[in-house]
Amino acid sequence: MDGIATDVAVGVKRGSDELNLYSTSPNSVTANGNDSSKKLRVEDRMESPPSRVLHIRKLPSEVSETEVIALGLPFGKVTNILMLKGKNQAFLELGTEEAAVTMVNYYTAVTPQVRNVPVFIQFSNHKELKTDSALNQRAQAVLQAVSAVQEGGSPNSDTSALDSVLAQAPSPVLRIIIDNMFYPVTLDVLQQIFSKFGTVMKIITFTKNNQFQALLQFSEPVNAQQARLSLDGQNIYNSCCTLRIDFSKLVNLNVKYNNDKSRDYTRPELPAGDGQPSLDPAMAAALNKDSSLLGAISPLSAAAAAAAAAGRVALSGHSGCSGVLLVSNLNEEMVTPQSLFTLFGVYGDAQRVKILYNKKDSALIQMSDGNQAQLAMSHLNGQKMFGKIIRVTLSKHQTVQLPREGLDDQGLTKDFTNSPLHRFKKPGSKNFQNIFPPSATLHLSNVPEDVTEEDLRQLFSNAGGTVKAFKFFQGHKMALLQMSTVEEAIQALMDLHNYDMGSNHHLKVSFSKSTI
């Protein structure tokens, strides 16, 4: 993107004579740190034009550069930071405008916190930050350390300031405890979350003291340190599944089996070892000596760290988020409450759907809770439905109002509260483990024995699209079916989920992470 500085530049402003900004462009932050966007109300932060530069206000006075960088780290590369400590403010520059938009979108729904203090984030009026980094080596070292970790490199160990930020990690192995585990946490979820910070080599999961725990080994200790700094204290799902992370005293994990309890990503040939314990006796003994996480350092408040790092697996946040979504840019000629219920129902239990009477290209969808709303938003925003790219954001509404008794709303509103088609009514349902982004490959289940491959190919072709590949498995009860595009798969899912195949068999359709 135009305007990115060629080298990483960082500055901290404590006095006008300490920092010289060498850009006089009206689109760059000026020497006194003025930014007219700070005059905006918090509610208006989305109305400023998008910019790679974000203005962060109301920071605690003792805040460190690392904590400010951690706010942006999950969303992409952080290329610059300007601390205005005397004003309790900072400017943070991300590598792309898209990353900045994602960050502001997220923090509009979830209040970011630093040291348990709410802070405010909005777009700056400036398009880039240019600072004289020579005047603040410590801040520069912090950012370079983070950049090195993001790019998989090694930070410069000669910088004393950097050593204080990413001190020599005692081990590449992290011990992870999941508190308040309302939803299941799988090996794949952990791998996706932590691989944002480096190469995950091995994971072992187990239950100890009635708590789900995991040991996770990175290829380098510095990656483990950065993951711990960014993720400790964060929620995988909304208000639950809280990560408590510390270093293990083990420096190498011995994984015997690749199954749903343990995985060695460097040795795919390992047996599944069904029914066998994942921990050998020596490792179990070492675990008993491992330090408790309860006294861990206070977490950095990168509220979306787990979510963004997980590649949209889930979004973390605080309780009280609205469960109502606003969906816009719909194809008003094609969309129905039923089609929206079916698509959004892949990511949560949609309770009510209302297409807006005076703006039929928009709809409100009430999910059963804020976590499901955020899951649906993260997976469906930007997807193509009926030929149009839809936009999904959290609504300010707390509920979707039903029409008054006797009022004809032209079928634009529907209450699905008692629908038998909800996928997630049962707490801990296996469906939570099978939430994947929309893909061209669909997973079919509940297939009658007498239905042939040709029958299913014909059925899905009639939904509008081309079937590229097909495969039965689980003894004909399930199948994978690949459409030519994701949009065709979305269309087919909306049309054919719960399709009556006869003999009291209703076809179940979901997105698959597999390919054929």
Side-chain angles (χ1 to χ4, degrees), residues 398-486:
Q398 296 302 308
T399 59
V400 170
Q401 296 295 324
L402 296 173
R404 291 193 302 275
E405 190 78 28
L407 183 68
D408 179 18
D409 73 338
Q410 303 178 10
L412 297 177
T413 307
K414 189 160 184 183
D415 188 352
F416 294 96
T417 304
N418 297 315
S419 170
L421 300 184
H422 289 154
R423 299 180 189 234
F424 306 104
K425 272 186 177 176
K426 184 180 176 184
S429 163
K430 282 190 174 181
N431 287 328
F432 279 108
Q433 301 176 35
N434 296 311
I435 292 177
F436 304 112
S439 65
T441 305
L442 296 169
H443 179 277
L444 314 181
S445 60
N446 208 28
V447 179
E449 289 185 8
D450 58 346
V451 170
T452 66
E453 174 179 336
E454 186 55 41
D455 292 334
L456 290 169
R457 281 180 173 268
Q458 186 66 44
L459 179 65
F460 278 78
S461 296
N462 291 343
T466 304
V467 177
K468 305 283 285 185
F470 183 92
K471 180 173 75 175
F472 272 124
F473 64 99
Q474 286 275 328
H476 201 92
K477 293 178 182 175
M478 299 182 183
L480 292 177
L481 183 145
Q482 184 178 331
M483 306 298 289
S484 60
T485 66
V486 175

XYZ file of all heavy atoms in Angstrom, residues 398-486:
703
model
N -31.051 -4.883 20.699
C -30.878 -6.019 21.609
C -31.761 -7.193 21.218
O -31.446 -8.336 21.515
C -31.190 -5.590 23.044
C -30.242 -4.537 23.604
C -28.789 -4.999 23.597
O -28.472 -6.069 24.102
N -27.915 -4.191 23.001
N -32.885 -6.901 20.572
C -33.800 -7.954 20.108
C -34.376 -7.548 18.756
O -34.308 -6.378 18.360
C -34.972 -8.170 21.091
O -35.701 -6.943 21.230
C -34.482 -8.641 22.452
N -34.947 -8.515 18.062
C -35.684 -8.252 16.830
C -37.168 -8.238 17.181
O -37.706 -9.232 17.693
C -35.390 -9.324 15.762
C -36.341 -9.174 14.585
C -33.942 -9.221 15.295
N -37.819 -7.113 16.945
C -39.228 -6.962 17.291
C -40.100 -7.690 16.272
O -39.890 -7.571 15.059
C -39.619 -5.484 17.329
C -38.908 -4.684 18.413
C -39.297 -5.143 19.810
O -40.433 -5.509 20.059
N -38.325 -5.134 20.724
N -41.078 -8.431 16.760
C -42.039 -9.081 15.873
C -43.148 -8.091 15.522
O -43.425 -7.163 16.287
C -42.636 -10.312 16.557
C -41.642 -11.442 16.861
C -42.327 -12.530 17.680
C -41.076 -12.017 15.580
N -43.792 -8.277 14.353
C -44.869 -7.344 13.976
C -46.050 -7.468 14.937
O -46.264 -8.508 15.565
C -45.250 -7.803 12.565
C -44.768 -9.211 12.459
C -43.549 -9.302 13.324
N -46.791 -6.373 15.062
C -47.956 -6.379 15.940
C -48.994 -7.398 15.458
O -49.079 -7.695 14.255
C -48.591 -4.982 16.002
C -47.725 -3.967 16.723
C -48.520 -2.703 17.036
N -49.079 -2.099 15.833
C -48.412 -1.260 15.045
N -47.155 -0.919 15.344
N -48.983 -0.746 13.977
N -49.754 -7.911 16.384
C -50.773 -8.920 16.078
C -51.694 -8.421 14.974
O -52.212 -7.309 15.015
C -51.589 -9.195 17.346
C -52.516 -10.398 17.238
C -51.779 -11.723 17.392
O -50.738 -11.746 18.080
O -52.242 -12.706 16.812
N -51.895 -9.234 13.956
C -52.812 -8.890 12.875
C -52.219 -8.018 11.791
O -52.869 -7.732 10.787
N -50.963 -7.576 11.967
C -50.334 -6.708 10.965
C -49.656 -7.560 9.897
O -48.895 -8.483 10.205
C -49.287 -5.810 11.640
C -48.597 -4.791 10.734
C -49.591 -3.724 10.296
C -47.422 -4.146 11.447
N -49.971 -7.261 8.637
C -49.357 -7.992 7.530
C -47.994 -7.378 7.209
O -47.908 -6.246 6.746
C -50.272 -7.920 6.294
C -49.659 -8.646 5.095
O -48.729 -9.460 5.316
O -50.107 -8.402 3.966
N -46.930 -8.136 7.485
C -45.592 -7.589 7.189
C -45.021 -8.189 5.909
O -43.819 -8.157 5.680
C -44.645 -7.842 8.370
C -44.223 -9.299 8.469
O -44.944 -10.166 7.928
O -43.156 -9.573 9.052
N -45.909 -8.762 5.067
C -45.520 -9.320 3.767
C -44.512 -10.462 3.902
O -43.710 -10.699 3.007
C -44.953 -8.220 2.857
C -45.897 -7.063 2.636
C -45.287 -5.976 1.763
O -44.236 -6.162 1.168
N -45.963 -4.834 1.688
N -44.556 -11.145 5.023
C -43.660 -12.287 5.201
C -42.204 -11.915 5.414
O -41.308 -12.739 5.223
N -41.960 -10.667 5.839
C -40.577 -10.202 5.992
C -39.987 -10.571 7.349
O -38.771 -10.513 7.534
C -40.512 -8.682 5.804
C -40.918 -8.166 4.417
C -40.880 -6.645 4.385
C -39.995 -8.740 3.348
N -40.838 -10.917 8.313
C -40.362 -11.259 9.656
C -40.797 -12.677 9.996
O -41.930 -13.065 9.718
C -40.936 -10.286 10.703
O -40.666 -8.960 10.303
C -40.293 -10.534 12.070
N -39.880 -13.444 10.597
C -40.248 -14.797 10.998
C -39.583 -15.140 12.320
O -38.410 -14.830 12.546
C -39.856 -15.811 9.922
C -40.422 -17.197 10.198
C -40.459 -18.065 8.968
C -41.120 -19.414 9.289
N -41.125 -20.323 8.136
N -40.361 -15.769 13.197
C -39.873 -16.208 14.503
C -39.488 -17.693 14.418
O -40.339 -18.546 14.167
C -40.969 -15.999 15.553
C -40.456 -16.255 16.973
O -39.320 -16.727 17.111
O -41.207 -15.975 17.915
N -38.201 -17.973 14.591
C -37.707 -19.352 14.507
C -37.369 -19.918 15.891
O -36.670 -20.923 15.994
C -36.453 -19.403 13.633
C -36.686 -19.064 12.183
C -36.459 -17.783 11.710
C -37.135 -20.029 11.296
C -36.660 -17.470 10.373
C -37.342 -19.734 9.956
C -37.109 -18.443 9.487
N -37.855 -19.265 16.943
C -37.467 -19.643 18.310
C -37.679 -21.125 18.577
O -36.833 -21.787 19.194
C -38.259 -18.810 19.342
O -38.045 -17.425 19.087
C -37.798 -19.132 20.750
N -38.797 -21.680 18.109
C -39.119 -23.075 18.396
C -38.814 -24.000 17.221
O -39.331 -25.122 17.156
C -40.600 -23.193 18.785
C -40.908 -22.422 20.052
O -40.162 -22.496 21.024
N -42.001 -21.665 20.036
N -37.962 -23.561 16.317
C -37.635 -24.381 15.150
C -36.901 -25.658 15.571
O -36.006 -25.620 16.423
C -36.758 -23.589 14.178
O -36.255 -24.452 13.162
N -37.254 -26.801 14.977
C -36.521 -28.049 15.272
C -35.169 -28.103 14.559
O -34.412 -29.058 14.763
C -37.467 -29.129 14.730
C -38.228 -28.446 13.625
C -38.380 -27.015 14.048
N -34.861 -27.099 13.748
C -33.644 -27.135 12.930
C -32.441 -26.470 13.589
O -31.375 -26.370 12.975
C -33.905 -26.459 11.573
C -35.002 -27.095 10.724
C -35.093 -26.409 9.376
C -34.756 -28.585 10.545
N -32.571 -25.997 14.813
C -31.421 -25.405 15.486
C -30.337 -26.462 15.695
O -30.620 -27.573 16.146
C -31.831 -24.812 16.842
C -32.654 -23.571 16.707
N -33.543 -23.154 17.675
C -32.721 -22.650 15.721
C -34.124 -22.020 17.277
N -33.646 -21.699 16.098
N -29.090 -26.099 15.394
C -27.985 -27.051 15.466
C -27.301 -27.066 16.832
O -26.543 -27.981 17.123
C -26.925 -26.712 14.400
C -27.428 -26.770 12.963
C -26.303 -26.424 12.002
N -26.760 -26.251 10.633
C -26.255 -26.896 9.573
N -25.289 -27.769 9.737
N -26.714 -26.676 8.361
N -27.518 -26.028 17.658
C -26.670 -25.864 18.848
C -27.456 -25.792 20.156
O -26.982 -25.241 21.135
C -25.813 -24.595 18.696
C -25.021 -24.584 17.419
C -25.425 -23.798 16.354
C -23.897 -25.371 17.280
C -24.702 -23.792 15.162
C -23.167 -25.366 16.101
C -23.571 -24.588 15.038
N -28.670 -26.330 20.162
C -29.481 -26.271 21.384
C -28.811 -27.011 22.532
O -28.879 -26.596 23.684
C -30.860 -26.876 21.111
C -31.882 -25.874 20.582
C -33.255 -26.515 20.472
C -34.290 -25.493 20.007
N -35.610 -26.111 19.803
N -28.170 -28.108 22.216
C -27.563 -28.940 23.255
C -26.192 -28.377 23.628
O -25.306 -28.267 22.786
C -27.424 -30.374 22.747
C -26.894 -31.354 23.770
C -26.803 -32.744 23.163
C -26.180 -33.714 24.149
N -26.003 -35.055 23.544
N -25.982 -27.989 24.907
C -24.657 -27.480 25.302
C -23.573 -28.523 25.021
O -23.749 -29.707 25.272
C -24.810 -27.237 26.813
C -26.281 -27.079 27.021
C -26.934 -27.968 26.016
N -22.452 -28.053 24.470
C -21.365 -28.968 24.162
C -21.627 -29.828 22.943
O -20.949 -30.836 22.727
N -22.610 -29.456 22.127
C -22.939 -30.222 20.935
C -21.713 -30.392 20.035
O -20.869 -29.505 19.921
C -24.041 -29.499 20.152
O -24.124 -29.980 18.822
N -21.635 -31.555 19.388
C -20.512 -31.797 18.475
C -20.509 -30.812 17.308
O -19.490 -30.624 16.657
C -20.565 -33.235 17.936
C -20.061 -34.272 18.920
C -19.900 -35.625 18.254
C -19.249 -36.619 19.227
N -19.069 -37.945 18.588
N -21.660 -30.206 17.047
C -21.712 -29.228 15.958
C -20.761 -28.055 16.204
O -20.288 -27.422 15.260
C -23.141 -28.705 15.772
C -24.044 -29.744 15.134
O -23.591 -30.558 14.329
N -25.316 -29.745 15.497
N -20.465 -27.753 17.487
C -19.530 -26.668 17.773
C -18.132 -27.001 17.262
O -17.334 -26.109 16.986
C -19.475 -26.386 19.279
C -20.610 -25.538 19.776
C -21.623 -26.076 20.543
C -20.669 -24.182 19.461
C -22.673 -25.296 21.003
C -21.714 -23.397 19.913
C -22.713 -23.953 20.683
N -17.824 -28.285 17.159
C -16.502 -28.691 16.688
C -16.434 -28.727 15.166
O -15.376 -28.949 14.595
C -16.141 -30.072 17.254
C -16.126 -30.119 18.774
C -15.857 -31.512 19.301
O -15.102 -32.268 18.705
N -16.487 -31.853 20.418
N -17.569 -28.549 14.516
C -17.612 -28.643 13.057
C -18.037 -27.327 12.414
O -18.745 -27.312 11.416
C -18.574 -29.766 12.644
C -18.081 -31.120 13.112
O -16.932 -31.469 12.906
N -18.948 -31.882 13.765
N -17.597 -26.229 13.028
C -17.882 -24.908 12.472
C -16.704 -24.497 11.593
O -15.585 -24.336 12.078
C -18.105 -23.879 13.590
C -19.403 -24.192 14.338
C -18.137 -22.459 13.031
C -19.677 -23.284 15.513
N -16.969 -24.345 10.306
C -15.912 -23.991 9.360
C -16.396 -22.837 8.473
O -17.602 -22.648 8.285
C -15.539 -25.192 8.487
C -15.124 -26.400 9.287
C -15.915 -27.533 9.316
C -13.949 -26.380 10.028
C -15.546 -28.639 10.070
C -13.572 -27.477 10.782
C -14.363 -28.609 10.802
N -15.460 -22.076 7.924
C -15.856 -21.004 7.002
C -16.568 -21.585 5.786
O -16.381 -22.768 5.447
C -14.514 -20.369 6.595
C -13.535 -20.819 7.627
C -14.006 -22.143 8.116
N -17.406 -20.780 5.121
C -18.021 -21.260 3.880
C -16.954 -21.765 2.909
O -15.904 -21.146 2.747
C -18.721 -20.008 3.341
C -19.035 -19.209 4.561
C -17.864 -19.423 5.475
N -17.210 -22.909 2.305
C -16.254 -23.492 1.366
C -17.031 -24.134 0.233
O -18.243 -24.376 0.344
C -15.382 -24.541 2.065
O -16.178 -25.635 2.491
N -16.332 -24.426 -0.838
C -16.996 -25.045 -1.996
C -17.383 -26.488 -1.711
O -18.236 -27.051 -2.389
C -16.078 -24.970 -3.216
N -16.751 -27.099 -0.691
C -17.032 -28.492 -0.358
C -18.070 -28.569 0.763
O -17.897 -27.957 1.818
C -15.756 -29.221 0.076
O -14.769 -29.087 -0.946
C -16.028 -30.701 0.312
N -19.125 -29.332 0.526
C -20.199 -29.490 1.497
C -20.159 -30.883 2.123
O -19.819 -31.868 1.450
C -21.556 -29.280 0.819
C -21.808 -27.879 0.257
C -23.051 -27.870 -0.624
C -21.935 -26.856 1.382
N -20.488 -30.943 3.402
C -20.596 -32.214 4.116
C -22.072 -32.584 4.193
O -22.889 -31.808 4.693
C -20.000 -32.073 5.522
C -20.080 -33.320 6.338
N -21.211 -33.680 7.043
C -19.175 -34.308 6.565
C -20.999 -34.820 7.668
N -19.761 -35.226 7.402
N -22.420 -33.769 3.686
C -23.801 -34.234 3.700
C -23.926 -35.392 4.677
O -23.072 -36.282 4.711
C -24.229 -34.715 2.300
C -23.874 -33.833 1.099
C -24.404 -34.451 -0.188
C -24.413 -32.429 1.278
N -24.990 -35.393 5.464
C -25.235 -36.510 6.368
C -26.718 -36.833 6.379
O -27.543 -36.102 5.828
C -24.736 -36.184 7.781
O -25.392 -35.059 8.310
N -27.040 -37.965 7.025
C -28.412 -38.473 7.058
C -28.901 -38.839 5.654
O -30.047 -38.581 5.279
C -29.352 -37.458 7.714
C -30.539 -38.126 8.380
O -30.439 -39.262 8.815
N -31.661 -37.422 8.463
N -27.997 -39.442 4.888
C -28.315 -39.832 3.513
C -28.965 -41.218 3.535
O -28.390 -42.167 4.083
C -27.044 -39.877 2.649
C -27.376 -40.302 1.224
C -26.341 -38.524 2.655
N -30.164 -41.386 2.954
C -30.794 -42.710 2.909
C -29.948 -43.704 2.115
O -29.247 -43.326 1.164
C -32.130 -42.445 2.199
C -32.375 -40.981 2.345
C -31.022 -40.347 2.371
N -30.060 -44.978 2.476
C -29.221 -46.001 1.850
C -29.498 -46.163 0.366
O -28.609 -46.520 -0.409
C -29.421 -47.345 2.565
C -28.810 -47.389 3.955
C -28.918 -48.768 4.580
O -29.329 -49.708 3.869
O -28.609 -48.903 5.782
N -30.739 -45.914 -0.043
C -31.080 -46.165 -1.446
C -30.801 -44.972 -2.357
O -31.070 -45.012 -3.554
C -32.561 -46.563 -1.572
C -33.500 -45.488 -1.022
O -33.004 -44.576 -0.324
O -34.718 -45.557 -1.288
N -30.255 -43.882 -1.808
C -29.929 -42.703 -2.628
C -28.538 -42.878 -3.222
O -27.576 -43.198 -2.513
C -29.996 -41.417 -1.785
C -29.424 -40.229 -2.545
C -31.433 -41.137 -1.373
N -28.424 -42.692 -4.525
C -27.160 -42.917 -5.222
C -26.379 -41.616 -5.390
O -26.909 -40.518 -5.173
C -27.410 -43.512 -6.616
O -28.098 -42.520 -7.409
C -28.265 -44.769 -6.522
N -25.120 -41.763 -5.800
C -24.298 -40.582 -6.097
C -24.960 -39.746 -7.183
O -25.001 -38.513 -7.104
C -22.902 -41.019 -6.549
C -22.029 -39.864 -7.007
C -20.635 -40.303 -7.444
O -20.158 -41.362 -6.997
O -20.026 -39.552 -8.246
N -25.514 -40.420 -8.191
C -26.153 -39.692 -9.295
C -27.354 -38.895 -8.793
O -27.596 -37.764 -9.225
C -26.580 -40.671 -10.393
C -27.132 -39.997 -11.642
C -26.176 -38.963 -12.244
O -24.950 -39.217 -12.284
O -26.661 -37.880 -12.646
N -28.118 -39.477 -7.858
C -29.269 -38.756 -7.280
C -28.811 -37.450 -6.632
O -29.423 -36.385 -6.823
C -29.959 -39.620 -6.223
C -30.657 -40.837 -6.811
O -31.038 -40.774 -7.995
O -30.797 -41.835 -6.074
N -27.757 -37.516 -5.842
C -27.275 -36.328 -5.125
C -26.644 -35.325 -6.081
O -26.819 -34.113 -5.932
C -26.292 -36.738 -4.030
C -26.934 -37.471 -2.841
C -25.883 -38.079 -1.933
C -27.832 -36.517 -2.039
N -25.897 -35.798 -7.045
C -25.317 -34.881 -8.046
C -26.437 -34.110 -8.755
O -26.336 -32.903 -8.971
C -24.481 -35.655 -9.068
C -23.084 -36.043 -8.573
C -22.337 -36.812 -9.652
N -20.957 -37.071 -9.298
C -19.908 -36.278 -9.603
N -20.141 -35.149 -10.267
N -18.692 -36.598 -9.258
N -27.508 -34.834 -9.127
C -28.618 -34.197 -9.828
C -29.323 -33.186 -8.933
O -29.647 -32.068 -9.354
C -29.621 -35.272 -10.285
C -30.755 -34.729 -11.148
C -30.260 -34.198 -12.491
O -29.447 -34.825 -13.150
N -30.740 -33.018 -12.884
N -29.530 -33.564 -7.655
C -30.212 -32.683 -6.714
C -29.452 -31.371 -6.537
O -30.042 -30.277 -6.571
C -30.351 -33.407 -5.362
C -31.027 -32.621 -4.232
C -32.487 -32.342 -4.573
C -30.926 -33.393 -2.917
N -28.134 -31.456 -6.382
C -27.340 -30.249 -6.134
C -27.115 -29.459 -7.423
O -26.972 -28.228 -7.375
C -26.026 -30.617 -5.448
C -26.180 -30.811 -3.966
C -26.721 -31.982 -3.461
C -25.834 -29.806 -3.072
C -26.905 -32.158 -2.092
C -26.012 -29.972 -1.701
C -26.551 -31.151 -1.209
N -27.120 -30.112 -8.565
C -27.031 -29.370 -9.835
C -28.295 -28.552 -10.049
O -28.246 -27.417 -10.533
C -26.837 -30.353 -11.004
O -25.610 -31.031 -10.891
N -29.430 -29.122 -9.663
C -30.697 -28.405 -9.827
C -30.780 -27.167 -8.931
O -31.561 -26.252 -9.192
C -31.875 -29.331 -9.511
C -32.047 -30.413 -10.553
O -31.503 -30.309 -11.653
N -32.785 -31.469 -10.214
N -29.981 -27.144 -7.859
C -29.975 -25.978 -6.967
C -29.284 -24.786 -7.617
O -29.352 -23.663 -7.091
C -29.277 -26.330 -5.655
N -28.635 -25.026 -8.750
C -27.968 -23.934 -9.466
C -26.476 -23.977 -9.251
O -25.983 -23.399 -8.285
N -25.782 -24.659 -10.125
C -24.339 -24.765 -9.969
C -23.835 -26.044 -10.593
O -24.593 -26.833 -11.175
N -22.543 -26.268 -10.450
C -21.898 -27.434 -11.043
C -21.245 -28.262 -9.951
O -20.485 -27.738 -9.140
C -20.815 -27.001 -12.063
O -21.428 -26.163 -13.046
C -20.186 -28.213 -12.734
N -21.563 -29.540 -9.919
C -20.925 -30.449 -8.966
C -19.600 -30.906 -9.558
O -19.558 -31.548 -10.608
C -21.831 -31.661 -8.661
C -21.119 -32.624 -7.718
C -23.145 -31.187 -8.048
N -18.506 -30.564 -8.874
C -17.167 -30.860 -9.403
C -16.639 -32.213 -8.939
O -15.858 -32.861 -9.631
C -16.179 -29.765 -8.960
C -16.597 -28.362 -9.338
C -16.346 -28.064 -10.798
C -14.873 -27.839 -11.066
N -14.634 -27.420 -12.467
N -17.018 -32.625 -7.726
C -16.500 -33.884 -7.196
C -17.458 -34.409 -6.142
O -18.257 -33.662 -5.563
C -15.109 -33.674 -6.599
N -17.359 -35.726 -5.882
C -18.278 -36.357 -4.928
C -17.597 -37.570 -4.308
O -16.828 -38.267 -4.970
C -19.562 -36.789 -5.646
C -20.599 -37.377 -4.722
C -21.570 -36.588 -4.141
C -20.583 -38.742 -4.423
C -22.508 -37.127 -3.272
C -21.516 -39.281 -3.561
C -22.485 -38.477 -2.982
N -17.899 -37.819 -3.030
C -17.329 -39.001 -2.376
C -18.225 -39.425 -1.212
O -18.525 -38.638 -0.320
C -15.919 -38.696 -1.860
C -15.245 -39.885 -1.167
C -13.787 -39.584 -0.832
C -13.694 -38.645 0.356
N -12.283 -38.428 0.784
N -18.654 -40.693 -1.222
C -19.362 -41.268 -0.082
C -18.362 -41.701 0.979
O -17.232 -42.094 0.669
C -20.161 -42.504 -0.508
C -21.562 -42.212 -0.989
C -21.979 -42.627 -2.250
C -22.473 -41.551 -0.176
C -23.266 -42.377 -2.696
C -23.768 -41.293 -0.614
C -24.161 -41.711 -1.878
N -18.756 -41.673 2.254
C -17.954 -42.286 3.306
C -18.875 -42.669 4.461
O -20.083 -42.431 4.409
C -16.800 -41.374 3.761
C -17.224 -40.081 4.394
C -17.252 -39.931 5.763
C -17.588 -38.989 3.603
C -17.629 -38.733 6.355
C -17.970 -37.784 4.182
C -17.988 -37.662 5.566
N -18.318 -43.287 5.491
C -19.108 -43.789 6.628
C -20.193 -44.752 6.142
O -21.347 -44.697 6.593
C -19.755 -42.624 7.402
C -18.783 -41.823 8.259
C -18.560 -42.445 9.632
O -19.434 -43.063 10.189
N -17.356 -42.286 10.148
N -19.785 -45.605 5.203
C -20.731 -46.601 4.714
C -21.982 -46.008 4.110
O -23.095 -46.421 4.440
N -21.835 -45.006 3.279
C -22.932 -44.418 2.506
C -23.801 -43.447 3.316
O -24.668 -42.769 2.762
C -23.833 -45.543 1.944
C -24.659 -45.123 0.760
N -24.238 -45.287 -0.540
C -25.884 -44.551 0.681
C -25.172 -44.830 -1.363
N -26.178 -44.371 -0.648
N -23.565 -43.332 4.630
C -24.414 -42.450 5.444
C -24.063 -40.981 5.248
O -24.876 -40.099 5.484
C -24.282 -42.802 6.926
C -24.840 -44.158 7.300
C -24.625 -44.429 8.777
C -25.135 -45.817 9.151
N -24.839 -46.146 10.564
N -22.810 -40.717 4.862
C -22.341 -39.349 4.689
C -21.648 -39.215 3.337
O -21.256 -40.200 2.717
C -21.366 -38.957 5.804
C -21.952 -38.996 7.194
S -20.744 -38.448 8.432
C -21.692 -38.701 9.942
N -21.485 -37.960 2.916
C -20.797 -37.715 1.647
C -20.171 -36.328 1.664
O -20.596 -35.447 2.408
C -21.775 -37.838 0.481
N -19.152 -36.172 0.856
C -18.594 -34.857 0.539
C -18.961 -34.534 -0.898
O -18.843 -35.397 -1.788
C -17.070 -34.849 0.703
C -16.526 -34.982 2.122
C -15.002 -35.026 2.101
C -17.001 -33.838 3.003
N -19.417 -33.318 -1.107
C -19.815 -32.890 -2.447
C -19.231 -31.508 -2.704
O -19.440 -30.595 -1.898
C -21.343 -32.881 -2.547
C -21.958 -32.517 -3.890
C -23.233 -33.333 -4.124
C -22.312 -31.031 -3.949
N -18.492 -31.382 -3.793
C -17.801 -30.120 -4.070
C -18.465 -29.380 -5.225
O -18.582 -29.906 -6.329
C -16.327 -30.388 -4.396
C -15.517 -29.114 -4.602
C -14.054 -29.416 -4.881
O -13.532 -30.435 -4.430
N -13.400 -28.539 -5.623
N -18.902 -28.155 -4.956
C -19.433 -27.287 -5.998
C -18.277 -26.518 -6.642
O -17.152 -26.522 -6.145
C -20.457 -26.320 -5.406
C -21.599 -26.976 -4.628
S -22.635 -28.078 -5.630
C -23.512 -26.882 -6.661
N -18.557 -25.822 -7.724
C -17.460 -25.149 -8.440
C -17.031 -23.863 -7.751
O -15.890 -23.431 -7.907
C -17.853 -24.860 -9.893
O -18.996 -24.032 -9.940
N -17.917 -23.241 -6.956
C -17.548 -22.014 -6.238
C -18.157 -22.041 -4.840
O -19.107 -22.779 -4.560
C -18.060 -20.740 -6.959
O -19.500 -20.740 -6.925
C -17.575 -20.673 -8.400
N -17.626 -21.198 -3.972
C -18.182 -21.063 -2.621
C -19.611 -20.515 -2.694
O -20.495 -20.953 -1.952
C -17.286 -20.145 -1.756
C -17.924 -19.898 -0.390
C -15.895 -20.748 -1.592
